[in-house]
Amino acid sequence: MCGRFVLFTSELLGHVGELPGVEEVHAPDGVPRPRYNIAPTMMVPVVRVQESLANVEPGRWGLLPHWKKDLDGPPLFNARGETVASKPSFRDAYKGKNGSGRCLIPMNGYYEWHEKVPHYVSRPDGKLMWVAGLWSSGLDRLSATMVTTEALEPMDWLHNRLPRFLLEEEMRPWLEGDMDEDLLQPSPKELRELFEIRPVDKPVGNVRNDYPALIG
């Protein structure tokens, strides 16, 4: 699963402009400030792509389906790939119905706990990690969730779930609804093997802590 992540790049719009097929980027609310401890219900950048136009907008991390009447209940910040096509909370977004659809969620890294020790997962080359996401406009606000899958080696020791990270060539198929049988499977091994995992200090467990030293 993914319950905390990090996004500190100052060049997010430039990275979005380099996504496959993107020729124009709109960000009506500007570039988000660097964050080192993003938790569910906080605002995160949601990247929605239609043809050659990418929109980068802040959305609540925790999906609000069109039928949701209020903010009660646990936030839907992860969606299991095994049931995303059938579970009422996610199936409309997965199928692009009722003011919802698919998106990408960028991160520099994320935190996961193993035996009560927080670990930071990132790419040692510094490149962004892109997660398959779903968005909705329930309660007249943009919200999003991350798709997760079973974790496989060499990541499975850390947690039994893993965000569905996308290779560059998988991004357009995900957004356009192609290759779904493959895209709901764990991220390719070539991508999983790129990730670096290192233990970090326990202050990351408090969402009020948000500073660069958290990632070590």
Side-chain angles (χ1 to χ4, degrees):
M1 63 179 294
C2 179
R4 300 282 182 84
F5 74 97
V6 170
L7 181 64
F8 56 80
T9 181
S10 61
E11 301 175 351
L12 178 59
L13 300 188
H15 291 300
V16 174
E18 295 174 353
L19 295 177
V22 172
E23 298 177 3
E24 187 176 357
V25 179
H26 287 181
D29 294 289
V31 180
R33 69 177 180 86
R35 299 294 301 274
Y36 293 87
N37 201 358
I38 303 171
T41 74
M42 291 182 178
M43 302 301 286
V44 302
V46 178
V47 180
R48 296 184 287 176
V49 181
Q50 186 172 17
E51 297 181 352
S52 62
L53 172 63
N55 285 294
V56 183
E57 301 170 82
R60 177 185 188 265
W61 185 20
L63 200 72
L64 298 170
H66 71 94
W67 43 262
K68 200 88 165 65
K69 304 301 183 184
D70 51 47
L71 295 176
D72 291 345
L76 303 173
F77 58 93
N78 284 171
R80 294 176 68 93
E82 296 90 338
T83 57
V84 71
S86 58
K87 192 170 183 178
S89 297
F90 306 117
R91 64 188 178 196
D92 281 350
Y94 179 73
K95 297 175 182 177
K97 297 180 177 180
N98 294 311
S100 58
R102 304 185 186 195
C103 63
L104 304 173
I105 299 177
M107 63 172 69
N108 286 99
Y110 74 100
Y111 300 109
E112 193 60 84
W113 275 255
H114 177 68
E115 296 182 350
K116 298 183 180 181
V117 177
H119 291 71
Y120 181 60
V121 183
S122 63
R123 289 185 57 150
D125 58 11
K127 292 185 178 180
L128 285 182
M129 302 155 73
W130 295 89
V131 182
L134 303 172
W135 67 270
S136 184
S137 54
L139 296 180
D140 296 321
R141 58 191 295 185
L142 181 61
S143 62
T145 188
M146 297 181 187
V147 176
T148 69
T149 69
E150 174 190 10
L152 299 179
E153 61 178 359
M155 306 287 292
D156 53 347
W157 67 270
L158 182 62
H159 195 278
N160 64 353
R161 303 294 297 178
L162 182 69
R164 200 346 176 149
F165 294 105
L166 298 169
L167 292 169
E168 182 174 315
E169 58 265 31
E170 294 179 315
M171 293 179 184
R172 294 302 296 212
W174 167 252
L175 293 167
E176 296 170 0
D178 298 330
M179 293 172 53
D180 280 355
E181 185 174 344
D182 292 333
L183 294 176
L184 294 180
Q185 300 299 315
S187 301
K189 186 176 182 181
E190 63 188 280
L191 187 54
R192 302 194 309 268
E193 289 180 337
L194 289 176
F195 299 152
E196 177 183 78
I197 305 171
R198 64 176 184 268
V200 292
D201 291 335
K202 291 185 177 181
V204 72
N206 188 332
V207 298
R208 291 175 294 183
N209 295 325
D210 187 359
Y211 46 84
L214 289 177
I215 65 175

